């Protein structure tokens, strides 16, 4: 039976490859196909076509790793560690309080004001649903029906940029800061703000060249993308807009059914899997809660009251490596694997290549490309490639520097708003060590030793981030400034905080 199973799998793989090579390229759903002459008109615009696979590409954990018993055992070890965290917390509470304390004050605090978070997100989503699509619909209709008007295009383009900067950029941030959202609630709004801004830009960026290419030929009518396609894109686990994405049930359906029969899977699994992935996201949330309760809070509550000491700082960094690495793994597994795959399952989105085997990287250049493929594609096509097009491919190093700068600024903006203070640790790590490691640990570095160096630098960086941001978080509460000036807001409070009194805000 094993030999028969191997032969059937080889036959299915060859059949998939043959059908993919024979199948014609998919035609966009709402735009007319372009002739060779019309395609030549697109030469003034950089050609970027990120390929979405026609067949379901499972993520690494689904396709390979979780089928290996050894990797499943590591997964079980993390679950066992979570159980030990829970037991140790209950035991310590029982010894200190004389009873079992089953409260989650930290979770209640970080997810505070959740109804207002939901209302804010709904307003953000409705604005993204209406404003960019309406502006593009108005511009594309008038651009094709009448003679091209630069004033009309400039007006609508300015309105879109104003909406990106004011409607999506300033207003959500103002609501977060004005209402004093706690960290987790801030992360929900700010991350959604960044995601929706990137999606709105991609929608405009991908459709404008098509209208410009077909505008001079009056015999071809430009069809506006359907609203249903735009709504699907807003929920799809991708940041690159396409009129139509490959679906699991529309392409290769019979092949997938046969392969599922071979794998002995049932149709009910397609309905149970999103719930299972959502449950794992919830489990990662509780996991992170116990990591902070057991490993971070007891350490930083005491060290934040001490005077700045290089010896204490070094010990703090190395003591923060373990919680930092656990938080890194939890963030990766919860978001890049569980969360994105859950939406892909619900939307029948075929391409699940949200990440690659970044853990096998022997260079930071490869790590940056494989850690988060979704964001990497957006930065590559809309920042790096567009910069090369504008510079006529003369400054590739400048394009790489621009990508690092954009990524560093956005990451630091998210942390500054969510934590409530400006402490550019992550920005310096991106722009200094990240740039250096990108050129020093490049793709020509091969061998296991370079993978060890990559992991060592990654672990140390996580320890620095957890240590410095946690110290500053508690210093902001132990040493509040009654009348802060602009320079005092920029100066890290942990550098001078050495009070031994009770904090103004205990959290």
């Amino acid at each position: 039976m094993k030999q028969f199973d191997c032969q059937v799998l080889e036959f299915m793989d060859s059949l998939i490859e043959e059908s993919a090579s024979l199948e014609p390229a998919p035609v966009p759903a709402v735009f007319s196909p372009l002739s060779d002459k019309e395609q030549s008109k697109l030469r003034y615009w950089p050609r970027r076509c990120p390929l979405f696979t026609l067949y379901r590409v499972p993520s690494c954990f689904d396709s390979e790793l979780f089928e290996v018993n050894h990797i499943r055992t590591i997964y079980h070890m993390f679950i066992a560690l979570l159980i030990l965290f829970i037991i140790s917390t209950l035991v310590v509470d029982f010894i200190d309080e004389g009873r079992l304390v089953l409260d989650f004050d930290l979770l209640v605090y970080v997810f505070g004001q959740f109804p207002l978070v939901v209302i804010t997100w709904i307003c953000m989503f409705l604005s993204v649903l209406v404003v960019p699509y309406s502006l593009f619909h108005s511009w594309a209709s008038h651009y094709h029906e009448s003679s091209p008007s630069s004033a009309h295009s400039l007006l609508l383009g300015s309105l879109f940029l104003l909406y990106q900067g004011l409607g999506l950029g300033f207003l959500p941030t103002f609501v977060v800061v004005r209402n004093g959202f706690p960290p987790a609630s801030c992360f929900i709004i700010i991350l959604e703000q960044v995601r929706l801004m990137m999606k709105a830009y991609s929608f405009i960026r991908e459709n404008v060249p098509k209208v410009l290419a077909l505008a001079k030929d009056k015999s071809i009518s430009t069809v506006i993308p359907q609203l249903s396609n735009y709504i699907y894109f807003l929920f799809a686990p991708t940041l690159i807009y396409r009129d139509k994405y490959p679906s699991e049930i529309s392409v290769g359906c019979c092949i997938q059914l046969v392969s599922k029969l071979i794998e002995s899977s049932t149709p009910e699994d397609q309905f149970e899997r999103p719930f299972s992935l959502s449950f794992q996201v919830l489990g990662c949330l509780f996991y992170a809660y116990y990591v902070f309760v057991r490993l971070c809070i007891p350490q930083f509550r005491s060290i934040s009251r001490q005077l700045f000491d290089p010896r204490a700082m070094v010990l703090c960094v190395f003591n923060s490596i373990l919680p930092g690495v656990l938080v890194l793994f939890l963030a990766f597994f919860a978001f890049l694997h569980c969360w994105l795959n859950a939406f892909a399952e619900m939307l029948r989105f075929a391409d699940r290549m949200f990440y690659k085997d970044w853990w096998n990287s022997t260079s930071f250049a490869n790590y940056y490309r494989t850690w988060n493929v979704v964001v990497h594609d957006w930065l590559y096509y809309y920042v790096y490639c567009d910069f090369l097009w504008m510079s006529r491919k003369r400054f590739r190093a400048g394009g790489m520097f621009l990508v690092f700068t954009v990524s560093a600024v956005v990451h630091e903006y998210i942390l500054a708003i969510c934590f409530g203070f400006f402490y550019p640790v992550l920005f310096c790590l991106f722009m200094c060590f990240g740039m250096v490691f990108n050129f020093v640990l490049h793709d020509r570095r091969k061998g296991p030793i370079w993978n060890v160096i990559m992991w060592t630098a990654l672990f140390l960086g996580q320890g620095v981030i957890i240590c410095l941001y946690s110290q500053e978080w508690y210093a902001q509460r132990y040493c509040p400034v009654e009348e802060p000036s602009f320079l005092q807001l920029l100066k890290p409070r942990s550098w001078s905080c050495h009070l031994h009194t009770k904090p103004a805000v205990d959290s």
Side-chain angles (χ1 to χ4, degrees):
M1 292 299 297
K2 290 183 179 179
Q3 183 178 3
F4 174 75
D5 181 67
C6 293
Q7 292 177 351
V8 172
L9 289 177
E10 291 178 359
F11 170 76
M12 298 305 300
D13 291 339
S14 62
L15 185 60
I16 290 175
E17 294 177 359
E18 183 178 359
S19 61
S21 62
L22 294 177
E23 186 172 0
V27 179
V30 293
F31 283 93
S32 303
L34 302 180
S35 63
D36 295 338
K37 181 180 179 181
E38 294 158 352
Q39 289 180 0
S40 63
K41 300 176 183 179
L42 289 175
R43 287 183 298 178
Y44 63 88
W45 207 270
R47 301 302 304 273
R48 307 137 14 270
C49 296
L51 298 178
F52 291 92
T53 179
L54 295 176
Y55 299 95
R56 183 183 187 275
V57 174
S59 56
C60 293
F61 282 111
D62 290 333
S63 61
E64 298 176 358
L65 295 184
F66 273 5
E67 296 179 1
V68 180
N69 291 332
H70 305 291
I71 302 300
R72 293 289 301 183
T73 301
I74 297 177
Y75 177 74
H76 296 158
M77 290 169 59
F78 274 89
I79 297 178
L81 184 59
L82 173 61
I83 296 175
L84 291 178
F85 274 135
I86 297 174
I87 294 176
S88 64
T89 303
L90 295 178
V91 170
V92 171
D93 291 339
F94 182 79
I95 294 175
D96 294 340
E97 304 290 338
R99 60 185 178 87
L100 293 178
V101 181
L102 298 176
D103 57 358
F104 298 96
D105 294 339
L106 181 61
L107 282 179
V108 174
Y109 163 71
V110 297
F111 284 98
Q113 305 187 44
F114 197 74
L116 184 57
V117 172
V118 175
I119 295 175
T120 306
W121 181 86
I122 292 176
C123 295
M124 292 169 55
F125 180 79
L126 291 179
S127 67
V128 173
L129 182 63
V130 174
V131 176
Y133 186 84
S134 301
L135 291 177
F136 176 78
H137 187 281
S138 176
W139 174 79
S141 301
H142 290 82
Y143 198 90
H144 183 78
E145 294 174 358
S146 59
S147 59
S149 174
S150 57
H152 182 258
S153 301
L154 181 62
L155 175 62
L156 294 182
S158 300
L159 289 177
F160 174 73
L161 294 178
L162 181 65
Y163 166 74
Q164 287 279 80
L166 182 62
L168 275 182
F170 174 76
L171 291 181
T173 305
F174 176 79
V175 172
V176 165
V177 176
R178 182 65 181 271
N179 293 277
F181 280 13
S185 299
C186 283
F187 272 107
I188 294 175
I189 297 300
I190 300 302
L191 289 177
E192 278 296 289
Q193 174 195 50
V194 175
R195 183 184 73 92
L196 294 176
M197 291 180 70
M198 296 169 73
K199 281 183 175 283
Y201 180 84
S202 177
F203 174 76
I204 300 298
R205 178 64 181 80
E206 292 294 334
N207 287 297
V208 165
K210 300 176 184 179
V211 176
L212 296 178
L214 302 177
K216 295 182 180 180
D217 195 342
K218 300 298 182 180
S219 61
I220 301 178
S221 60
T222 303
V223 181
I224 308 299
Q226 299 178 2
L227 182 60
S228 58
N229 295 338
Y230 181 57
I231 296 176
Y232 181 90
F233 168 64
L234 291 180
F235 287 100
T238 179
L239 297 174
I240 308 295
Y241 175 80
R242 289 292 177 266
D243 297 311
K244 188 175 180 60
Y245 296 97
S247 174
E248 288 186 56
I249 59 177
S250 62
V251 182
C253 183
C254 297
I255 296 177
Q256 292 180 14
L257 288 177
V258 174
S259 62
K260 288 178 181 179
L261 289 175
I262 295 175
E263 297 172 359
S264 300
S265 62
T266 60
E268 288 78 7
D269 292 339
Q270 301 302 321
F271 299 96
E272 295 175 359
R273 179 164 170 75
F275 293 101
S276 174
L277 292 170
S278 302
F279 179 77
Q280 293 180 67
V281 172
L282 187 62
C284 291
L285 179 64
F286 279 95
Y287 208 136
Y289 163 78
Y290 283 106
V291 168
F292 281 101
V293 167
R294 300 304 305 158
L295 301 179
C296 294
I297 294 179
Q299 173 186 355
F300 294 108
R301 248 183 197 161
S302 59
I303 198 175
S304 296
R305 299 189 185 187
Q306 301 175 2
L307 189 63
F308 180 82
D309 182 17
R311 177 180 177 275
M313 180 63 64
V314 172
L315 293 177
C316 172
V317 170
F318 282 97
N319 290 333
S320 302
I321 289 179
L322 177 58
V325 171
L326 290 176
V327 170
L328 175 70
F329 289 156
L330 290 173
F332 158 73
F333 185 75
F335 179 72
L336 292 177
H337 180 74
C338 296
W339 186 260
L340 296 182
N341 272 291
F343 273 87
E345 288 285 345
M346 291 185 288
L347 298 175
R348 315 305 299 165
F349 191 83
D351 194 343
R352 312 292 174 86
M353 195 59 69
F354 308 128
Y355 58 90
K356 298 178 183 178
D357 56 338
W358 56 270
W359 46 87
N360 293 326
S361 299
T362 56
S363 66
F364 268 86
N366 184 71
Y367 167 76
Y368 295 142
R369 291 192 300 265
T370 56
W371 158 257
N372 189 341
V373 176
V374 179
V375 175
H376 168 267
D377 287 346
W378 194 94
L379 292 173
Y380 177 77
Y381 293 115
Y382 299 139
V383 178
Y384 181 75
C385 290
D386 284 356
F387 177 84
L388 291 184
W389 166 69
M390 289 185 292
S391 64
R392 297 181 180 181
K393 300 182 179 181
R394 294 178 180 177
F395 307 102
R396 295 185 179 272
M400 187 178 301
F401 177 80
L402 181 61
V403 169
F404 272 92
T405 303
V406 171
S407 180
V409 169
V410 172
H411 279 81
E412 190 57 44
Y413 160 76
I414 294 173
L415 294 183
I417 298 300
C418 295
F419 290 156
F421 56 82
F422 177 73
Y423 196 16
V425 176
L426 191 61
F427 179 84
C428 295
L429 290 178
F430 260 93
M431 296 305 298
C432 298
F433 295 98
M435 287 287 293
V436 171
F437 287 154
N438 183 72
F439 290 102
V440 174
L441 300 179
H442 46 73
D443 290 331
R444 290 192 295 271
R445 305 295 188 184
K446 303 294 182 181
I449 185 61
W450 296 106
N451 183 249
V452 174
I453 294 175
M454 191 275 295
W455 275 109
T456 303
L458 191 62
F459 286 171
L460 188 60
Q462 290 300 121
V464 171
I465 291 173
I466 292 294
C467 173
L468 295 184
Y469 278 110
S470 297
Q471 280 190 349
E472 184 66 20
W473 171 268
Y474 278 101
Q476 292 282 333
R477 280 141 185 82
Y478 279 106
C479 303
V481 179
E482 296 180 358
E483 296 180 358
S485 62
F486 180 74
L487 293 178
Q488 289 177 332
L489 291 176
L490 296 180
K491 180 182 178 181
R493 202 77 51 84
S494 58
W495 291 4
S496 58
C497 177
H498 56 277
L499 299 180
H500 296 273
T501 58
K502 186 178 180 180
V505 179
D506 191 8
S507 59

